[in-house]
Amino acid sequence: MAKYGLIGGKLGHSLSPAIHKLFFQYTGKEGTYGLLERDVEALPELMQKLRSEYKGCNVTIPHKLHVMPLLDKIAPEAAAIGAVNTIKFTEQGAFGYNTDYFGFGRMLAYNSITVKGKVAAVLGTGGAARAVVKYLADQGVAKLYLVTRDIAKVDTRFAEMAPMAEVIDYTALGKLQGDVLVNCTPVGMFPKVDASPVPASVSAEFDASVDLIYNPAKTLFLQQAEAAGHKAVNGLFMLVAQAVAAQEIWQDESYASDLIVRIMTALEQEQ
Ligand code: NAP
């Protein structure tokens, strides 16, 4: 049976095994998906083993950068983002991809949020923000505000990925209006659910708010958007969509959004 897995540091609470199990169940594909908790020093040896025994794997914190030098080829979006979260093993070698990029895009499309020619603001400048910013830039967003607590510390790669991006602080964000506001910070995540990265007055100035957080399903950030009568989307669709995008790479097949929704629904019922 084909073997797949997730490489990461601490994986105790990962939803990935459940998502991939549902994928196998609903598509009839055969496979196992296990957790591969490793320190960075153990990665070269692990990769040798995976190359001979595995068909594919996902990669999460803190190894999305560490695996890159161990691969034979990296897809353009993953190279630009500077992070790999999916690896496909073939006889030709180990190939790296970033499916957070595709998962985010599919989430916007599914929720009819268009960004071409629009004004977007992205909160936070970590790994998730890099995939989001690259996607927004590739889709032709007109203006992109990258919002940080400390402008001096922002990675210079953002400017390369998104020449239209302007790095601002939260005070400057308070004076802006726009179309899409994306939370790429962990603020509001369980158990600290009483926090939002921005006040309600900011949420009111954007037509749609997207939170990458999926626990809780409705963060305070999203409650603020809904209270202002605006669209609010949580990160569960993205989480499942990035897993399905990985399966599309491994299986070399395409899957409809119905499958993502079916997996999401099953996960919500399990929780
Ligand atoms: P991260 O690197 O730990 O943090 C992201 C950024 O958030 C930081 O670089 C920081 O930017 C800002 N930040 C951190 N703590 C903050 C605080 N207390 N107040 C304000 N800003 C703060 O995390 P990540 O890996 O990018 O992930 C971000 C979030 O997205 C997490 O909640 C993660 O679970 C979620 N995520 C979801 C999906 C999905 O599929 N739905 C995928 C990836 C990530 P500045 O220092 O510039 O302010």
Side-chain angles (χ1 to χ4, degrees):
M1 194 180 290
K3 284 164 96 172
Y4 306 90
L6 174 64
I7 308 173
K10 292 234 180 316
L11 298 171
H13 298 291
S14 174
L15 283 176
S16 291
I19 294 172
H20 289 279
K21 194 174 163 199
L22 288 163
F23 171 86
F24 294 133
Q25 189 182 324
Y26 292 152
T27 59
K29 294 279 173 195
E30 292 211 327
T32 61
Y33 190 99
L35 296 177
L36 302 158
E37 263 188 30
R38 294 290 191 284
D39 293 332
V40 64
E41 298 77 33
L43 291 182
E45 197 185 324
L46 175 66
M47 286 297 282
Q48 281 311 322
K49 181 180 154 71
L50 298 184
R51 277 173 186 266
S52 58
E53 295 179 15
Y54 279 60
K55 200 169 164 190
C57 67
N58 291 123
V59 187
T60 189
I61 292 169
H63 298 322
K64 289 185 184 186
L65 288 167
H66 302 147
V67 295
M68 293 177 77
L70 305 172
L71 304 176
D72 299 305
K73 203 171 166 196
I74 293 171
E77 78 289 340
I81 292 163
V84 159
N85 81 333
T86 298
I87 302 171
K88 179 173 185 166
F89 300 103
T90 73
E91 282 175 9
Q92 285 72 44
F95 303 110
Y97 304 84
N98 189 306
T99 65
D100 282 340
Y101 175 93
F102 298 109
F104 178 71
R106 202 155 179 179
M107 172 170 70
L108 292 190
Y110 184 75
N111 288 285
S112 309
I113 298 174
T114 56
V115 293
K116 190 175 165 56
K118 301 281 183 71
V119 176
V122 173
L123 312 176
T125 63
R130 289 220 294 269
V132 166
V133 163
K134 172 72 178 148
Y135 184 84
L136 294 173
D138 286 356
Q139 291 301 305
V141 71
K143 182 77 194 177
L144 203 166
Y145 294 100
L146 184 57
V147 189
T148 176
R149 295 166 301 171
D150 189 346
I151 292 174
K153 285 196 190 145
V154 174
D155 191 327
T156 50
R157 258 176 307 186
F158 279 106
E160 289 162 29
M161 280 193 300
M164 77 298 289
E166 186 181 336
V167 181
I168 62 169
D169 61 20
Y170 283 85
T171 309
L173 176 68
K175 297 171 191 139
L176 294 177
Q177 288 182 321
D179 300 294
V180 186
L181 182 63
V182 187
N183 179 29
C184 297
T185 81
V187 180
M189 199 156 72
F190 181 84
K192 295 185 182 167
V193 298
D194 292 335
S196 168
V198 294
S201 55
V202 168
S203 308
E205 296 299 333
F206 286 81
D207 295 339
S209 287
V210 177
D211 203 334
L212 264 49
I213 294 172
Y214 44 84
N215 183 15
K218 205 170 279 180
T219 55
L220 180 56
F221 174 74
L222 295 183
Q223 291 172 36
Q224 289 171 181
E226 281 190 355
H230 297 316
K231 192 174 260 189
V233 176
N234 81 23
L236 188 60
F237 190 99
M238 175 175 167
L239 181 78
V240 177
Q242 62 78 28
V244 170
Q247 289 287 357
E248 290 184 326
I249 290 166
W250 298 330
Q251 311 295 344
D252 211 6
E253 282 182 26
S254 297
Y255 300 102
S257 293
D258 290 359
L259 175 65
I260 296 170
V261 174
R262 215 173 149 200
I263 294 173
M264 266 173 71
T265 308
L267 284 175
E268 280 165 341
Q269 282 164 0
E270 280 173 17
Q271 277 171 7

